[in-house]
């Protein structure tokens, strides 16, 4: 669809104002919010990701594209909220210590909220102490960790290790995700699940809370 391509192109260019307008227009054309997200906004970020990797763009361009992506996400967020589902669970989520990437985590939070889950977003650079304090304070059903760097994914293991006792006492489950994460890494660090994207995270949590 032409408008989705234009959204992707303008995320890539970092033109926040145009992204906002295009997203509003796409919604008024009754294009599903999830489609705008996945085939428009995320597509644009994907292109920036490849260019960043190939040294065709640098951090300033990536930051400007991030801002444009977030501007679009703010517009679609209310449209993603469907009727509250019968699934009730409290989820605490954060990007692990040392890692500042938060776009993917925010998408996951938005998708979970749209399913009626209660989400507490601890933000970025979240230490194991902060996760633990939050478990004791909030009694969540699920802890979700996100990491985008191969250097920070190992911190997830530190969190699952310190959580081993409390996980059992509080009956909390741990899920992980982010570009470098795999199911085998999740198994290795004894996480209860891995989700490659937001939609999968929703299904994974529905299954975990049934158990
Ligand atoms: Co960064 N960065 N970055 N960066 N950055 C990557 C991740 C990189 C792959 C780029 C590259 O080289 N190709 C590379 C990592 C290489 C590696 O570790 N192997 C990289 C690097 C190297 C760096 C710096 C070290 C660069 C530097 O300073 N020299 C630095 C590190 C800073 C730090 O964190 N300490 C850095 C900085 C930045 C910016 C600040 C400029 C910016 C982040 C802005 C922000 O997030 N507010 C940025 C960005 C934007 C990227 C890329 C281009 C895009 C990431 C993104 O938002 N993708 C990225 C390249 C890439 O991934 N292709 C890159 C879109 C998003 C929708 O996808 O985040 O994968 P994603 O989320 C998905 C799934 O992964 C999953 O669902 C999401 C939705 O579908 N998911 C979960 C994510 N979390 C989940 C949690 C779950 C379940 C699913 O359950 C809890």
């Amino acid at each position: 669809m032409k408008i989705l391509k234009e959204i992707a192109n303008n995320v890539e260019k970092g033109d926040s104002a145009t992204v906002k307008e295009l997203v509003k227009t796409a919604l008024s054309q009754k294009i599903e919010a999830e489609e705008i997200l996945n085939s428009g906004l995320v597509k644009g970020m994907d292109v920036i990701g490849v260019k960043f990797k190939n040294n065709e763009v640098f951090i300033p361009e990536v930051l400007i594209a991030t801002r444009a992506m977030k501007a679009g996400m703010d517009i679609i967020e209310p449209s993603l909220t469907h009727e509250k589902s019968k699934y009730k669970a409290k989820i605490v989520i954060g990007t692990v210590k040392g890692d500042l990437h938060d776009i993917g985590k925010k998408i996951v939070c938005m998708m979970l909220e749209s399913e009626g889950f209660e989400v507490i977003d601890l933000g970025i650079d979240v230490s194991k102490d902060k996760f633990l304090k939050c478990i004791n304070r909030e009694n969540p059903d699920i802890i979700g960790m996100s990491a985008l760097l191969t250097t920070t994914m190992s911190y997830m293991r530190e969190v699952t290790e310190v959580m081993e006792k409390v996980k059992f006492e509080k009956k909390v489950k741990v899920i992980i995700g982010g570009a470098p994460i795999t199911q085998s890494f999740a198994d290795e660090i004894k996480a209860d699940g891995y989700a490659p994207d937001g939609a999968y995270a929703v299904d994974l949590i529905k299954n975990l809370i049934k158990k």
Side-chain angles (χ1 to χ4, degrees):
M1 235 178 281
K2 191 168 166 261
I3 191 155
L4 298 178
K5 273 196 190 133
E6 283 177 41
I7 291 172
N9 289 342
N10 281 284
V11 167
E12 192 194 330
K13 274 198 274 175
D15 186 341
S16 299
T18 307
V19 169
K20 272 192 201 168
E21 286 316 307
L22 287 168
V23 170
K24 283 183 195 159
T25 308
L27 284 172
S28 72
Q29 290 174 359
K30 304 273 180 270
I31 302 176
E32 292 281 331
E34 264 184 69
E35 193 175 356
I36 300 173
L37 180 64
N38 293 321
S39 308
L41 298 168
V42 172
K43 275 264 149 60
M45 251 356 260
D46 286 346
V47 177
I48 275 288
V50 172
K51 289 191 171 175
F52 186 40
K53 188 177 177 186
N54 297 334
N55 292 323
E56 291 167 43
V57 297
F58 299 96
I59 289 188
E61 288 96 327
V62 178
L63 282 173
I64 295 167
T66 301
R67 202 167 58 199
M69 164 97 193
K70 286 186 174 169
M73 281 164 65
D74 287 347
I75 308 281
I76 57 167
E77 190 167 8
S79 311
L80 270 177
T81 310
H82 307 305
E83 286 206 347
K84 296 277 179 248
S85 74
K86 62 185 163 75
Y87 298 99
K88 293 276 169 274
K90 195 192 263 192
I91 297 136
V92 166
I93 193 162
T95 301
V96 295
K97 194 173 172 198
D99 200 319
L100 308 177
H101 295 85
D102 69 348
I103 298 175
K105 172 189 60 79
K106 281 197 171 160
I107 291 178
V108 174
C109 290
M110 270 165 54
M111 309 257 318
L112 293 172
E113 278 169 349
S114 81
E115 286 289 322
F117 291 117
E118 183 183 349
V119 178
I120 299 170
D121 183 354
L122 295 179
I124 52 175
D125 196 20
V126 181
S127 66
K128 51 191 173 193
D129 281 357
K130 200 166 176 186
F131 277 117
L132 273 183
K133 275 189 190 141
C134 196
I135 294 173
N136 287 322
R137 193 177 61 236
E138 300 287 347
N139 279 313
D141 304 280
I142 306 279
I143 290 287
M145 288 188 273
S146 178
L148 263 285
L149 300 172
T150 44
T151 48
T152 55
M153 60 188 271
S154 56
Y155 192 77
M156 289 175 160
R157 186 196 303 275
E158 291 189 37
V159 181
T160 51
E161 277 172 6
V162 344
M163 272 182 62
E164 216 154 290
K165 193 159 160 254
V166 83
K167 251 186 87 177
F168 180 71
E169 286 167 5
K170 299 264 187 184
K171 295 190 177 57
V172 58
K173 302 248 164 56
V174 179
I175 69 160
I176 60 174
I181 308 301
T182 58
Q183 182 61 54
S184 65
F185 180 69
D187 296 339
E188 196 186 308
I189 68 165
K190 299 196 181 78
D192 299 286
Y194 153 73
D197 59 33
Y200 202 102
V202 167
D203 289 342
L204 174 64
I205 291 175
K206 283 179 182 172
N207 279 326
L208 285 172
I209 58 176
K210 268 195 250 156
K211 286 180 185 167

